[in-house]
Amino acid sequence: MGIVYGKLLRLMEERGITSYTMKKDNIIGQATFRKIKQGGDIDTRTIAKLCSLLNCQPGDILEYVPDDNES
């Protein structure tokens, strides 16, 4: 499965931050937000922007979930 962003989405919801807010404030674009929602790859600059916005560490917004076939 890889990196999942459930923590980020929950934190955004708790703080009332929407995809529109992110786009309006030029934090991340809609395509990047779509990648997050779909579990796609985002770069470290995006992670840094999100951590700055949310005043948190990367581990607060993402987590690694190994595939079933990984040991």
Side-chain angles (χ1 to χ4, degrees):
M1 179 165 254
I3 302 295
V4 294
Y5 305 99
K7 289 179 172 183
L8 169 62
L9 298 172
R10 281 190 299 278
L11 191 56
M12 286 175 56
E13 185 177 334
E14 288 171 8
R15 296 189 183 181
I17 298 170
T18 64
S19 62
Y20 175 76
T21 304
M22 296 246 214
K23 179 182 174 188
K24 180 179 67 81
D25 294 344
N26 203 27
I27 307 294
I28 61 173
Q30 289 296 102
T32 303
F33 189 73
R34 199 170 20 257
K35 284 182 186 180
I36 291 169
K37 294 275 290 188
Q38 296 171 351
D41 295 328
I42 60 173
D43 65 29
T44 54
R45 289 174 298 209
T46 301
I47 294 169
K49 286 180 181 180
L50 292 167
C51 287
S52 177
L53 170 72
L54 298 166
N55 191 30
C56 66
Q57 293 295 312
D60 297 329
I61 61 173
L62 55 91
E63 105 185 271
Y64 173 73
V65 178
D67 290 332
D68 290 337
N69 58 1
E70 293 182 19
S71 10

